[in-house]
Amino acid sequence: MTIDADVDASKETPNFFAPWHRRLFVGRRGLVASTVSSALIVVAIALLLFVAPGGATFRYVFFDGHNLWLAWVGDPRLGIDSLRDGMVTNIWMFLVSEVLVLFFGLMIAWCRISQSPVLLPFRVLATAYTDVMRGIPLILTMLIIGFGLPELRLPVISSQSDAVYGVISLTLCYSAYVAEVIRAGIYSVPNGQRLAARSLGLTQTVTMRRVILPQAIRNVIPPLLNDFISLQKDTAIVSVLGAIEVVRAAQIFSAATFNESGLTLAAIFFIVLTIPMTRFTDRLLAKDRAKRLVHE
Amino acid sequence: MSDVVLAMDSVVKRFGDHEVLKGVSLQLHRHEVVCLIGASGSGKSTLLRCANLLEAIDEGHVSLFGQNLVDPRIDPDLVRRHIGMVFQSYNLFPHLDVLENVVLGPVRALKRDRAEVEEEAQALLERIGLRDRAHDYPERLSGGQQQRVAIVRSLAMRPALLLLDEVTSALDPTLVGEVLDLLVDLAHRGTTMLIATHEMNFARDVAHQVVYLDAGVLVEQGTPEQIFTNPQHDSTRSFLQRVR
């Protein structure tokens, strides 16, 4: 009898053992492999900093303990702004921007997906808005707003601080990104959800608010977080307007002391800011999943 | 006084060039159970969706309690509050627990008192034996349990009639029974229902009228005996042979 099956396990006996160069990476050895590679990277960086010809200078210019401290506290007599105060500016700028961005992003997304004929002009406007604002580099928006609004000589609007213009620019730019993320989230909710909600006699608005959005937002938390991290970092761009935020303060420090440790401190600040936020949302999502889904 | 709940008259529905319903007329009386049978794509689901205005009809009339639903002054949200609908894929809200799923409609659409609605919801869940699962999330329930919760969710609105769209088609065969039992119970209580189904034995047992649809045309309508034992049309006969 000849066997000519398409699926035929007996054709040849396969070998399941990993070849020698993969042995380190299969099974539980993953942990060993990751530890070894991490250690290697750390050693490589240390070597670079300590063995390079300019290593000592580099360490002094970027990682000097005294200068790091001086940048942190500032020194009014030397005209050095404290980075600590600068950081406070960054923090309130992104906190305010994020709240505004979430609100406007939601509104723009809502306009864009609405079918209602009444909202047609808003739909067109919202589409044009996202097209334009996503196309302009943030630094240009920042300059146009920061130097343009005061030029208008309007009451209130033209007499704000650079940090406020920074917040306005960040909000304008990021609302466009976040609107698209939220819109994608809304489309990711199965149509059956809308049908079920409308069948209960819920209005379009209640359906959106109670059924669609809660699911949509959950679905887009990771990309939303991505945009928020970008926004936090982009508060640094407000320095082009002259607001004394952390990067501007670091530049002033460099100019006064010829030491760049302020930049290092600023970089550490942005890292310290993002990592807890990422972990926090990871935990939030994990908790939500654990609550809703069967443990497997 | 007539006891007609739902009346559809020469309803035509098109999706683009495709005519899904080609002039279907149907009446549903109070306490009556009507089963829609027919192959997939014959227009059963569309017919149900036209009945609660999830789809706008292109021609003909739909009326509920004698009120013409095609009238532009009709608010579809008000109509749907009186019509329960249950879907093949349950469509429970995954971000809300079982109790919240049941309570959402009465509280948010009917603006009823929450505590009162919750009490009723608990009683309904008790009836389907899921009271102890009230604070579980839908995805932790079996398909049969989810579908029973979906039925209870629409009952909580105290609708005048229920539309059921192949509610057992997505279920594991072992779970079909518990859902059908609940529907039989509802039928015995006099619930007015329009049921699209592939469960012929169920249709034979509970339906007062059976309607056979083929390619958007109502081919034949009659009592279960007439349709299942003595179908008049060739296409009904061949359909019934294929599903047996």
Side-chain angles (χ1 to χ4, degrees), chain A residues 23-184:
Chain A
R23 297 255 159 108
L24 202 57
F25 301 98
V26 290
R28 263 179 239 142
R29 290 181 183 182
L31 187 68
V32 182
S34 64
T35 314
V36 170
S37 63
S38 306
L40 279 175
I41 298 276
V42 170
V43 168
I45 292 173
L47 278 177
L48 197 69
L49 287 184
F50 286 91
V51 177
T57 322
F58 185 92
R59 288 200 316 274
Y60 173 73
V61 171
F62 283 95
F63 293 102
D64 179 58
H66 170 71
N67 280 304
L68 282 169
W69 175 251
L70 187 62
W72 170 253
V73 293
D75 190 342
R77 286 168 302 149
L78 297 174
I80 297 172
D81 292 289
S82 112
L83 259 67
R84 196 175 44 191
D85 295 344
M87 288 173 194
V88 173
T89 308
N90 288 76
I91 289 171
W92 79 251
M93 283 197 298
F94 78 68
L95 285 179
V96 173
S97 304
E98 278 169 1
V99 173
L100 293 175
V101 162
L102 214 48
F103 176 76
F104 286 113
L106 204 59
M107 289 300 127
I108 296 164
W110 201 318
C111 285
R112 288 204 63 177
I113 58 148
S114 75
Q115 315 264 307
S116 144
V118 186
L119 289 176
L120 176 78
F122 293 97
R123 190 152 67 243
V124 173
L125 266 175
T127 311
Y129 179 85
T130 42
D131 285 352
V132 170
M133 290 319 290
R134 284 196 303 173
I136 304 176
L138 177 59
I139 192 164
L140 281 180
T141 310
M142 199 82 78
L143 291 169
I144 292 167
I145 295 293
F147 296 127
L149 289 187
E151 212 61 58
L152 289 173
R153 281 186 243 150
L154 288 166
V156 188
I157 295 177
S158 298
S159 52
Q160 296 298 325
S161 69
D162 292 329
V164 171
Y165 292 134
V167 167
I168 294 173
S169 314
L170 287 165
T171 306
L172 284 174
C173 176
Y174 276 91
S175 296
Y177 287 113
V178 166
E180 289 301 277
V181 170
I182 293 177
R183 195 164 71 105

Side-chain angles (χ1 to χ4, degrees), chain A residues 193 198 200-201 210 290 293, chain B residues 81 92 95 139-140 157:
Chain A
Q193 292 290 308
R198 297 310 297 275
L200 288 172
R210 301 279 165 189
L293 305 178
Chain B
R81 283 167 201 178
L92 290 177
H95 61 299
E139 283 163 58
R140 291 200 171 182
M157 292 290 288

